Amino acid sequence: MTTTIHLAQQPEADELLGRSPLAALVGMLLDQQVPMEWAFSGPFTIARRLGGDDLDAHEIAAYDPESFAALLSAKPAVHRYPGAMAKRVQQLCRYLVDEYGGDAAAVWADAADGRELLDRLLALPGFGRQKAQIFLALLGKQYGVRPRGWREAAGAYGEEGAYRSAADITGPESLARVRAYKQEAKRAAKTAKTAPTSKASTDRTKSTTKPGTSAAE
């Protein structure tokens, strides 16, 4: 797996993401509650602090948990919540060691179709449905991993020409479009969440107002 990636927006970090399946998985794992570039630069930072030029699932799985948490917490921290994410990264690597011999690429290498690949991603520690579908879309759109039905399994994230997630970022312009989409989605979600509350409040006001009077009275 060698491809040109622009998720970290840093040449060395993106180069690692382009050649290391485990780095790509760890970057996706870290991609929550922090800017995307911060998350996807994490694998490079971890590799450098471990003294190597790539990540090794066996090494990370066997690392002393407190020491690994300290490694991610050192400034600049790998994540906003370095302790919690250190635990998740180690859980992911232990799973890869136990189920795939430590080979991250084996998660998708022989998947018969998109549905099977999605199921494998969903089984990874720290990967919920949204994260799994985004990563599946990233594999298909940028890494050339395209088993039959991959777009359908990735849901809306697999749509061609979409700008919804990390799967669609190939440079600064697409990054800006994805950010704009996410901001609009957050505004829509906030509006949808508050609208029922406002209606319920209005209904309660009506039910407690005497006939022939106004709420202002």
Side-chain angles (χ1 to χ4, degrees):
M1 184 177 79
T2 302
T3 190
T4 301
I5 297 296
H6 297 281
L7 296 175
Q9 301 287 298
Q10 296 178 25
E12 291 179 305
D14 280 325
E15 189 275 333
L16 175 60
L17 294 171
R19 63 178 167 81
S20 171
L22 180 55
L25 269 181
V26 170
M28 190 72 247
L29 178 67
L30 295 172
D31 188 22
Q32 59 187 69
Q33 298 180 297
V34 295
M36 183 202 69
E37 304 96 307
W38 186 0
F40 280 97
S41 65
F44 176 74
T45 302
I46 295 171
R48 186 172 56 183
R49 290 178 182 177
L50 287 172
D53 63 356
D54 197 355
L55 300 180
D56 184 288
H58 292 275
E59 179 184 12
I60 293 174
Y63 216 88
D64 174 71
E66 290 187 8
S67 298
F68 192 67
L71 185 145
L72 269 66
S73 300
K75 294 183 179 180
V78 168
H79 195 275
R80 181 175 295 161
Y81 305 106
M85 296 312 294
K87 182 178 180 180
R88 291 188 181 186
V89 171
Q90 285 198 291
Q91 288 173 336
L92 172 63
C93 288
R94 290 181 189 123
Y95 181 86
L96 292 174
V97 169
D98 291 342
E99 300 296 327
Y100 296 99
D103 180 9
V107 175
W108 53 83
D110 62 349
D113 54 32
R115 179 70 251 181
E116 181 179 348
L117 177 50
L118 179 60
D119 287 342
R120 291 184 182 187
L121 293 172
L122 286 169
L124 297 176
F127 277 67
R129 176 163 292 274
Q130 183 183 49
K131 191 179 290 290
Q133 288 188 310
I134 290 174
F135 191 74
L136 198 163
L138 177 63
L139 287 173
K141 291 180 176 182
Q142 299 198 43
Y143 288 99
V145 179
R146 297 164 183 160
R148 175 174 49 85
W150 71 270
R151 287 191 186 274
E152 292 78 5
Y157 300 108
E159 293 177 6
E160 188 173 0
Y163 290 92
R164 290 186 171 89
S165 71
D168 306 304
I169 295 171
T170 56
E173 182 181 350
S174 53
L175 172 60
R177 295 183 68 172
V178 168
R179 282 227 167 95
Y181 169 82
K182 289 185 174 183
Q183 289 170 356
E184 180 57 34
K186 285 182 180 179
R187 283 194 292 269
K190 185 176 181 180
T191 299
K193 184 177 181 180
T194 57
T197 302
S198 299
K199 184 178 185 301
S201 178
T202 301
D203 291 343
R204 285 196 299 272
T205 300
K206 287 180 178 180
S207 65
T208 56
T209 303
K210 296 179 181 179
T213 64
S214 69
E217 295 175 347

